[in-house]
Amino acid sequence: MQRNEGVQFTSSSLKIPVFSPKPSPSQTLVPQLTRTHEGVRFASSSLKIPFFSPKPSLPQALASQLARTRNSLTQLISSIVTRANGSKRSSIGSTEKSIVLCSTSMSLAGFPDATQSVMEVPQKGPSSSRQEERVLISEVLVRNKDGEELERKDLEMEALTALKACRANSALTVREVQEDVHRIIDSGYFCSCMPVAVDTRDGIRLVFQVEPNQEFHGLVCEGANVLPTKFLQDSFREAYGKVVNLKRLDEVMTSINGWYTERGLFGLVSGVELRSGGIIRLQVAEAEVNNISIRFLDRKTGEPTKGKTKPETILRQLTTKKGQVYSMIQGKRDVDTVLTMGIMEDVSIIPQPAGDTGKVDLIMNVVERPSGGFSAGGGISSGITSGPLSGLIGSFAYSHRNVFGKNQKFNISLERGQIDSIFRINYTVPWIEGDDKRTSRTIMVQNSRTPGTLVHGNEPGQSSLTIGRVTAGLEYSRPIRPKWSATVGLIFQRSGARDENGDPIIKDYFGSPVTASGKTHDNMLLLKLESVYTGSGDQGSSMFAFNMEQGIPVFPEWLFFNRVNARGRTGIEIGPARLLVSLSGGHVVGNFAPHESFAIGGTNSVRGYEEGAVGSGRSYVVGSGEVSFPVGGPVEGVIFADYGSDLGSGSTVPGMVLVFHL
């Protein structure tokens, strides 16, 4: 038990520090409820937890007992000093007279309420001087409450070892005796200690009458729904069959409370009682979630307002459920999850007591972002590097983040350049209603046009031919493991080549086919399978992705092929610098158009070359290594080396023509 220097018993100038009372469960849970985690705010105004009613703590009971015996102790010591200083000593003979110096008791339960923790005796001249006078003690013994020797000598030695001032042939004051009483109790092995002075022929014999605690033979734990049984067994295993030590018991209670604190759980030991037969009854209080509600706040005023998002859309994102013991760590994860929906500007959780039920109500405050809007911009296409203006593109987009108030996403965008263009419509349901695996669904329609210069030959001096693709598909994605996700989809694609006038063609300048079917367009139905590991998601963190596309020949002229592709990346810290290593590779078999082969070169492949300038093949491998290091402020330097190869498969691409420039 810990001391509390602010609790004192005062008699004249005598001050005796005693043990501090153990905080009640409500006093302990209130700071937990008002703690603030990163991203989670907890209310702190007039928060009360009235659902625990702990019994008076052990030190409070001890304080009450000491307060009630302080007057008699002072009077008796004063009478002993008076007789010792008198001219004649009374003859006692063989009869021994017991004088009670003080009586203190300490047990695990059942004390009356401590009515006074601080007692002040008015200082008077004569009594004040007598209280500080010393009494010569000829002998110091430890006995049981009946005055007999203790059966267990190890406990007697524990009590004698705890004594500091009380020694044979020593002159003691009231304060020193009382402090040694505290030391015996503080050893943890005794539930009561009563110092008794016996006047004998040889002087005053000081006897500490103690009552040892019971031996521990069993444990009953109530209210611990999430506390592991093994944790309790391990905590009490060494104490089995031994005398209960209150200090050790206090350490176990602290350990149990620490288990809850480490996991951010609202729980603690609310009571402990030693029953007959050596059975310890442990009461644990766990604050379960009673109800979870959503409160929308205005972005400008912070006042409650009506939200556009359906509350059930937010509630289904939470892992905290009704009936669970509330965890602040789990609450922090729930806040992060709601923020990743992309429709909230701020999110916070406020726990509040649910009346006198011993549970908590959770209020989630959310501030919504604007649902949608238009945007426009410009940039440089990464696929075109032959001229300063040829890759210049402009963009226009409209997006809505919260369609129907269900966090569904709708995007429509257009990017247009001098050569390439892309028009895309996406509609995404991040979490399909009624699904418990967090499966998302995306419907996609896209029309794109990209240059095909480096795959097909072109007439010298003429503008590049382009590859047009019209794509429509349906994809389903879901998390399969922490940091892992999987996607399956069915995609229809119609692709073909056009010349500089926009007319469809089936052969390039060198007479090589530009489609696999020999027609102006190739049709294909692709079954897509993909698995992605994202690591931490930060730039430079580890990443791995595996993708497979299988062409399904619904009609005889539709393409039938299989394409696999894998890529990985990892970063390594080297002092202030970072090494980033990446590797990718793939292979395709079957009947496919030349523009569906793997192009090597470009900003996402081998840097320093135009898109596909290194080669194009059925197989490929590309490796990259770069070291980035700070230069000063926001400026960062990078040294990189890239390598790419078609593994000798370039000549197997249908219609592939090698053109050498001298």
Side-chain angles (χ1 to χ4, degrees):
M1 299 297 179
Q2 299 177 347
R3 292 180 177 272
N4 188 334
E5 300 296 341
V7 181
Q8 300 175 338
F9 296 89
T10 305
S11 176
S12 299
S13 60
L14 184 63
K15 296 183 179 180
I16 304 171
V18 299
F19 303 100
S20 64
K22 183 180 291 298
S24 66
S26 61
Q27 291 173 331
T28 306
L29 280 180
V30 167
Q32 291 185 2
L33 286 172
T34 57
R35 289 177 56 188
T36 301
H37 279 254
E38 183 178 339
V40 189
R41 295 197 297 271
F42 299 94
S44 58
S45 59
S46 65
L47 186 57
K48 298 180 181 179
I49 308 297
F51 44 84
F52 295 111
S53 56
K55 299 179 180 178
S57 64
L58 310 183
Q60 286 178 334
L62 173 61
S64 178
Q65 294 287 348
L66 287 175
R68 287 193 290 267
T69 61
R70 187 69 182 87
N71 279 332
S72 60
L73 181 144
T74 303
Q75 295 173 0
L76 290 173
I77 287 294
S78 298
S79 65
I80 294 175
V81 173
T82 301
R83 291 204 310 270
N85 294 333
S87 59
K88 184 177 179 180
R89 178 181 177 183
S90 300
S91 177
I92 301 178
S94 59
T95 303
E96 297 183 352
K97 183 178 180 182
S98 298
I99 303 173
V100 178
L101 293 180
C102 64
S103 173
T104 62
S105 62
M106 189 175 189
S107 64
L108 292 175
F111 281 100
D113 293 338
T115 59
Q116 186 176 1
S117 61
V118 178
M119 172 182 172
E120 296 185 2
V121 179
Q123 298 186 9
K124 298 181 180 180
S127 63
S128 176
S129 61
R130 290 174 182 174
Q131 286 177 0
E132 291 303 319
E133 294 187 29
R134 295 182 176 273
V135 178
L136 182 63
I137 303 298
S138 62
E139 189 178 9
V140 178
L141 299 176
V142 175
R143 294 290 184 265
N144 62 18
K145 61 182 180 179
D146 298 324
E148 300 175 352
E149 292 187 4
L150 297 180
E151 295 181 1
R152 297 187 54 167
K153 295 300 180 183
D154 58 333
L155 294 180
E156 180 180 340
M157 185 57 63
E158 289 287 349
L160 290 172
T161 303
L163 299 177
K164 182 177 180 181
C166 297
R167 295 286 189 268
N169 300 321
S170 60
L172 305 175
T173 64
V174 175
R175 177 174 55 83
E176 291 173 335
V177 174
Q178 207 165 23
E179 287 178 349
D180 273 352
V181 170
H182 284 296
R183 292 187 181 98
I184 291 177
I185 294 297
D186 195 36
S187 68
Y189 290 99
F190 307 97
C191 59
S192 69
C193 178
M194 179 185 297
V196 177
V198 181
D199 198 356
T200 67
R201 293 179 179 273
D202 298 325
I204 296 177
R205 176 189 301 154
L206 182 59
V207 180
F208 290 94
Q209 294 184 355
V210 298
E211 182 179 358
N213 295 325
Q214 301 181 61
E215 291 185 354
F216 173 60
H217 291 294
L219 174 69
V220 176
C221 185
E222 301 175 354
N225 297 319
V226 298
L227 186 66
T229 303
K230 186 177 184 303
F231 181 85
L232 283 173
Q233 293 174 343
D234 293 342
S235 299
F236 285 92
R237 179 176 288 110
E238 294 182 359
Y240 187 80
K242 300 178 182 178
V243 173
V244 174
N245 185 292
L246 300 183
K247 291 179 63 176
R248 171 58 183 161
L249 186 59
D250 184 68
E251 292 174 357
V252 171
M253 290 188 291
T254 302
S255 176
I256 294 174
N257 293 338
W259 185 91
Y260 284 99
T261 302
E262 290 174 1
R263 290 154 182 81
L265 296 170
F266 277 19
L268 50 78
V269 178
S270 60
V272 61
E273 180 182 356
L274 181 59
R275 293 182 170 181
S276 59
I279 305 299
I280 293 180
R281 177 174 173 265
L282 201 65
Q283 290 180 305
V284 176
E286 297 177 345
E288 295 181 354
V289 176
N290 177 64
N291 188 37
I292 306 175
S293 59
I294 305 298
R295 182 167 59 190
F296 295 92
L297 302 180
D298 186 84
R299 297 177 64 243
K300 297 180 179 179
T301 65
E303 298 296 326
T305 185
K306 184 178 180 180
K308 299 179 180 179
T309 307
K310 296 184 180 297
E312 56 268 23
T313 301
I314 303 174
L315 291 174
R316 69 187 308 217
Q317 303 287 334
L318 308 183
T319 57
T320 301
K321 302 298 181 183
K322 184 177 180 180
Q324 294 181 348
V325 177
Y326 180 60
S327 167
M328 291 184 292
I329 296 177
Q330 190 175 7
K332 171 66 166 59
R333 289 197 297 264
D334 287 339
V335 167
D336 292 339
T337 300
V338 174
L339 286 173
T340 57
M341 294 170 64
I343 60 176
M344 299 300 169
E345 189 173 282
D346 190 27
V347 180
S348 62
I349 293 180
I350 301 178
Q352 292 184 343
D356 298 330
T357 62
K359 300 181 179 182
V360 294
D361 288 332
L362 301 182
I363 300 176
M364 174 170 279
N365 291 330
V366 296
V367 179
E368 292 180 303
R369 289 181 174 179
S371 298
F374 294 90
S375 64
I380 300 294
S381 173
S382 63
I384 304 175
T385 58
S386 58
L389 298 178
S390 59
L392 187 65
I393 61 173
S395 64
F396 176 83
Y398 170 79
S399 63
H400 197 293
R401 304 184 184 94
N402 197 13
V403 180
F404 307 125
K406 296 183 177 182
N407 190 35
Q408 298 177 6
K409 319 291 184 182
F410 175 76
N411 295 278
I412 180 170
S413 63
L414 172 64
E415 294 180 1
R416 179 74 179 180
Q418 293 185 4
I419 299 177
D420 54 347
S421 65
I422 180 170
F423 175 76
R424 182 187 297 115
I425 299 176
N426 281 359
Y427 183 76
T428 300
V429 179
W431 191 348
I432 298 175
E433 189 171 354
D435 178 78
D436 60 348
K437 302 297 184 180
R438 304 184 72 92
T439 303
S440 66
R441 178 179 62 233
T442 299
I443 300 174
M444 176 266 297
V445 177
Q446 178 176 298
N447 186 359
S448 66
R449 185 164 300 279
T450 58
T453 307
L454 300 173
V455 178
H456 306 284
N458 295 280
E459 185 177 357
Q462 300 297 321
S463 60
S464 303
L465 62 83
T466 57
I467 306 299
R469 294 182 178 88
V470 176
T471 306
L474 176 66
E475 293 183 354
Y476 291 88
S477 299
R478 71 166 51 166
I480 52 177
R481 293 186 61 186
K483 300 182 180 181
W484 282 92
S485 63
T487 300
V488 59
L490 197 62
I491 301 171
F492 169 79
Q493 179 175 300
R494 179 183 177 92
S495 62
R498 293 180 179 270
D499 60 17
E500 64 276 8
N501 298 320
D503 298 325
I505 59 175
I506 59 175
K507 291 184 179 181
D508 61 16
Y509 174 76
F510 298 99
S512 300
V514 294
T515 61
S517 62
K519 299 181 180 180
T520 57
H521 292 88
D522 288 327
N523 295 324
M524 62 194 82
L525 184 64
L526 303 177
L527 174 62
K528 175 183 176 181
L529 299 174
E530 185 177 40
S531 180
V532 178
Y533 171 82
T534 55
S536 63
D538 299 332
Q539 183 178 5
S541 63
S542 298
M543 183 277 297
F544 176 78
F546 176 81
N547 178 283
M548 184 187 73
E549 293 178 341
Q550 175 64 54
I552 303 175
V554 179
F555 299 101
E557 64 273 15
W558 286 24
L559 303 189
F560 176 65
F561 66 95
N562 180 272
R563 176 167 49 202
V564 294
N565 187 24
R567 61 189 185 277
R569 179 191 66 211
T570 186
I572 304 172
E573 297 286 347
I574 306 176
R578 170 181 284 272
L579 172 63
L580 188 64
V581 180
S582 62
L583 181 67
S584 61
H587 182 67
V588 58
V589 295
N591 184 25
F592 64 96
H595 52 260
E596 296 294 340
S597 61
F598 297 107
I600 307 171
T603 56
N604 295 321
S605 180
V606 179
R607 287 165 285 188
Y609 291 85
E610 295 183 6
E611 193 80 12
V614 175
S616 179
R618 286 179 176 266
S619 304
Y620 89 102
V621 62
V622 171
S624 175
E626 68 177 45
V627 177
S628 59
F629 51 89
V631 175
V635 181
E636 188 177 72
V638 177
I639 300 175
F640 67 88
D642 298 335
Y643 173 81
S645 172
D646 62 7
L647 302 177
S649 63
S651 59
T652 63
V653 176
M656 183 63 182
V657 177
L658 300 178
V659 179
F660 297 94
H661 298 278
L662 300 177

